[in-house]
Amino acid sequence: MPRGRPRREGADEQILTAARALLRERGYREFTVDTVAERTGIAKTTIYRRWPSKGALVAALIAPPPESSDPDAIVRETAEVLGLLSEPDAEAIEVLHAVLAPRRKLLSEAFGSELQADLVIGALLSRLLVVREPVTKELAETVLRSIRDGRNSIS
Amino acid sequence: MPRGRPRREGADEQILTAARALLRERGYREFTVDTVAERTGIAKTTIYRRWPSKGALVAALIAPPPESSDPDAIVRETAEVLGLLSEPDAEAIEVLHAVLAPRRKLLSEAFGSELQADLVIGALLSRLLVVREPVTKELAETVLRSIRDGRNSIS
């Protein structure tokens, strides 16, 4: 997912505005990209070129990736967004991907290590999906501390 | 999920045998706990007491938790099972939980650290769900190496 301002701001803004209204009206389950296309008159293929799935579009509305390049800030922000997604149902897998893929990319650039990004993002994800407990601020701090202490070895 | 041999082996074996046959006949999507209950004459509540979801029952069939208490062996086995679940769809979230919850528990006992278990299980999960690339043997070794090198600091 591209960072920074989108190139075709007009169409993107139109899509996001319609999508936001639709999400408010119908909620996630009843939200469809088809309806966004109908309401904006923008082709579905154009929408999917920018946001490859319903989950990606919804994620862009509820949680655009952070602007920061500071890993601590990114981890804290990620934990905060995941904190909103407690008790994820089956459909949430798409939203989780859409929320986490750009953040993992930012983190892997910030750490200079894909593995380290997977360890950090993964620890939060494991808490949410495997332990099925909410992702908290405290967890973000614990993970950050462990990564900071072991930075020379985990790379 | 309890480890070792189940207590009520008769009923458990009956359920597993019927479930295995049903899974072969119908595949995951068409598999229902209702049908297992009908075919065995065992109450659905009894089945759910032992396996709390369809995903847990299917996971018990395709991947019972490893017997080993060696963390390296558990991580390798977990990576192998996740390797079978490439391109997980929305329903897979239930299977992932059922596969990973008992393995995370074993690992957290083996490491003596829940955080370390979340980092390791999470790194595999991030690769699968966030990067959407297959979990490989090589990834398991890389994660194990990073954890071994940083063992004193990640705890």
Side-chain angles (χ1 to χ4, degrees):
Chain A
M1 188 179 291
R3 293 160 61 186
R5 304 302 296 166
R7 290 287 163 270
R8 302 171 51 265
E9 201 170 88
D12 282 356
E13 281 307 316
Q14 242 185 297
I15 294 163
L16 289 172
T17 304
R20 192 173 292 114
L22 186 63
L23 190 64
R24 273 207 206 95
E25 282 167 42
R26 298 208 186 157
Y28 180 75
R29 212 169 278 263
E30 305 287 316
F31 178 100
T32 69
V33 174
D34 275 323
T35 311
V36 176
E38 273 164 34
R39 289 191 180 183
T40 54
I42 293 170
K44 228 166 69 165
T45 49
T46 307
I47 301 176
Y48 279 126
R49 210 172 299 132
R50 179 75 176 85
W51 294 280
S53 67
K54 167 180 162 173
L57 181 51
V58 172
L61 290 174
I62 62 174
E67 302 276 319
S68 173
S69 63
D70 167 42
D72 289 20
I74 301 167
V75 172
R76 289 187 185 117
E77 190 272 353
T78 303
E80 205 182 312
V81 175
L82 291 183
L84 303 174
L85 293 169
S86 53
E87 301 186 44
D89 62 1
E91 281 190 75
I93 212 165
E94 214 190 326
V95 180
L96 284 172
H97 175 263
V99 164
L100 293 178
R103 288 167 174 81
R104 179 195 173 276
K105 193 165 173 294
L106 289 173
L107 266 184
S108 121
E109 285 160 11
F111 285 139
S113 158
E114 295 208 15
L115 177 62
Q116 199 148 341
D118 281 328
L119 288 164
V120 170
I121 292 285
L124 304 179
L125 202 50
S126 170
R127 183 65 63 102
L128 185 64
L129 295 185
V130 181
V131 188
R132 290 192 171 159
E133 281 177 10
V135 174
T136 59
K137 280 184 191 176
E138 290 68 36
L139 178 62
E141 297 309 320
T142 308
V143 170
L144 278 172
R145 207 160 39 236
S146 86
I147 290 296
R148 229 178 345 252
D149 294 348
R151 183 157 289 173
N152 297 322
S153 41
I154 311 176
S155 58
Chain B
M1 190 180 289
R3 292 161 63 187
R5 304 301 297 167
R7 291 286 162 270
R8 302 171 51 264
E9 199 169 272
D12 283 356
E13 281 307 316
Q14 244 185 297
I15 293 163
L16 289 172
T17 304
R20 191 173 292 115
L22 185 64
L23 189 64
R24 273 208 204 94
E25 281 168 42
R26 299 208 186 156
Y28 180 76
R29 213 168 277 263
E30 305 288 316
F31 178 101
T32 69
V33 174
D34 275 323
T35 312
V36 176
E38 274 164 34
R39 289 192 181 182
T40 54
I42 293 170
K44 231 167 64 166
T45 48
T46 308
I47 301 176
Y48 279 125
R49 211 171 300 132
R50 179 75 176 87
W51 293 281
S53 67
K54 167 180 162 175
L57 182 50
V58 171
L61 290 174
I62 62 174
E67 302 277 316
S68 174
S69 63
D70 168 43
D72 289 21
I74 300 167
V75 172
R76 289 186 184 118
E77 192 269 353
T78 303
E80 207 182 311
V81 175
L82 291 183
L84 303 174
L85 292 170
S86 52
E87 301 184 45
D89 62 2
E91 282 191 74
I93 212 165
E94 214 191 326
V95 180
L96 284 172
H97 175 264
V99 163
L100 292 178
R103 287 167 175 80
R104 179 194 173 278
K105 192 164 174 293
L106 289 173
L107 267 184
S108 121
E109 285 160 10
F111 285 139
S113 158
E114 294 208 17
L115 176 63
Q116 198 149 342
D118 280 327
L119 287 165
V120 170
I121 292 285
L124 304 179
L125 202 50
S126 171
R127 184 65 64 101
L128 185 64
L129 295 186
V130 182
V131 189
R132 289 192 171 160
E133 280 177 11
V135 173
T136 59
K137 281 184 191 176
E138 290 69 35
L139 177 62
E141 298 309 320
T142 308
V143 169
L144 279 172
R145 207 160 39 236
S146 84
I147 290 295
R148 227 176 347 251
D149 294 348
R151 184 157 291 174
N152 295 324
S153 41
I154 313 176
S155 60

